Amino acid sequence: MRNKNFIIAIVAIFTTLFLGSCKTLNQFADSLNNLQRLEFKLDNVNNFRLAGVNLSNIKSVSDLSLMDGIKLTKAFADKKLPAQFVLNVDARNPNDGKGGSKQSTATLSSFDWKLYIDDKETIAGDINKEFVIPGTGSSEIIPLVMNIDLYEFFGNRGYEDIINLALAIGGQSGSASRLKLDARPTVKTPIGNINYPNRITIVDKGWTN
């Protein structure tokens, strides 16, 4: 009888472990599938300042005030053109329970990124807090604060070309079209954080996953 009870206990333990393993594997498969369905796109650029000069309402170099022109010229002569701006990234979670997908909310715990300007690699960073992306099919904005010295990367282009580049990105008619992000998102799941299998390239012209 003792041996029989022992065997039953062993079978129960292995059954529990097996079922637990199957559940974990299913959770992992669901989490990985949902993760790979997340989509990203560059939205817009705002609050662009170059060497302390607000370019958000400036359309061209000729629109700069005398004082702002002097500030930028001096910064260029000093070989420093620090730019600060916010690059907004659209994140969309299509796991809304329609079309056979399981409805789920995604929590972005890391977003390791590298910024490219005119296809030139510049600075890198990550988010400093988690972002929740509901499974509703709608998108959420992830604001990335950028701090970059444009002279360091584009000083060889000359003063006017750098100013025009800054205006093309963050001026009155600016856009994110000359930017792209090389990123690797990480999503929090019931079984821990899961990284994207590969890095992805995010641009403003269409969704990337």
Side-chain angles (χ1 to χ4, degrees):
M1 180 65 68
R2 184 178 299 174
N3 288 339
K4 183 178 180 180
N5 289 338
F6 177 75
I7 292 171
I8 292 173
I10 292 296
V11 170
I13 290 171
F14 274 102
T15 300
T16 301
L17 291 174
F18 176 75
L19 292 176
S21 297
C22 289
K23 183 178 179 180
T24 299
L25 287 173
N26 287 334
Q27 286 180 327
F28 179 80
D30 287 343
S31 297
L32 187 59
N33 181 57
N34 291 341
L35 167 67
Q36 292 177 316
R37 282 168 54 83
L38 293 180
E39 299 172 320
F40 300 92
K41 181 176 71 170
L42 299 187
D43 189 67
N44 63 358
V45 172
N46 54 40
N47 300 326
F48 197 107
R49 301 185 70 85
L50 183 64
V53 176
N54 187 351
L55 299 185
S56 300
N57 297 315
I58 304 297
K59 203 167 191 178
S60 66
V61 175
S62 61
D63 293 332
L64 290 167
S65 69
L66 177 61
M67 290 305 298
D68 286 345
I70 290 173
K71 282 182 184 178
L72 294 175
T73 302
K74 183 180 183 306
F76 181 81
D78 292 338
K79 298 183 178 182
K80 291 181 180 179
L81 278 170
Q84 299 88 34
F85 60 94
V86 177
L87 174 59
N88 291 310
V89 179
D90 248 343
R92 185 168 67 181
N93 181 2
N95 298 302
D96 56 5
K98 300 175 182 177
S101 68
K102 182 179 178 182
Q103 198 281 333
S104 63
T105 295
T107 300
L108 201 64
S109 59
S110 176
F111 193 70
D112 172 31
W113 56 263
K114 298 176 185 176
L115 175 68
Y116 284 75
I117 302 177
D118 285 352
D119 292 322
K120 181 180 180 66
E121 183 178 345
T122 60
I123 59 175
D126 203 339
I127 54 177
N128 55 16
K129 68 173 185 178
E130 295 179 347
F131 285 89
V132 176
I133 310 169
T136 59
S138 60
S139 61
E140 294 290 320
I141 291 292
I142 303 171
L144 302 179
V145 179
M146 303 291 178
N147 289 280
I148 176 174
D149 186 345
L150 291 184
Y151 189 94
E152 177 184 346
F153 297 99
F154 303 100
N156 62 333
R157 292 190 179 186
Y159 171 78
E160 192 162 333
D161 277 355
I162 296 181
I163 303 303
N164 284 328
L165 171 62
L167 289 171
I169 298 169
Q172 189 178 50
S173 303
S175 73
S177 62
R178 294 174 72 169
L179 308 178
K180 69 180 180 182
L181 287 180
D182 171 80
R184 190 173 191 186
T186 300
V187 174
K188 182 186 288 186
T189 75
I191 57 173
N193 290 338
I194 298 180
N195 297 326
Y196 256 56
N198 301 297
R199 300 186 70 86
I200 59 175
T201 299
I202 305 171
V203 295
D204 71 328
K205 293 181 174 59
W207 294 97
T208 302
N209 63 355

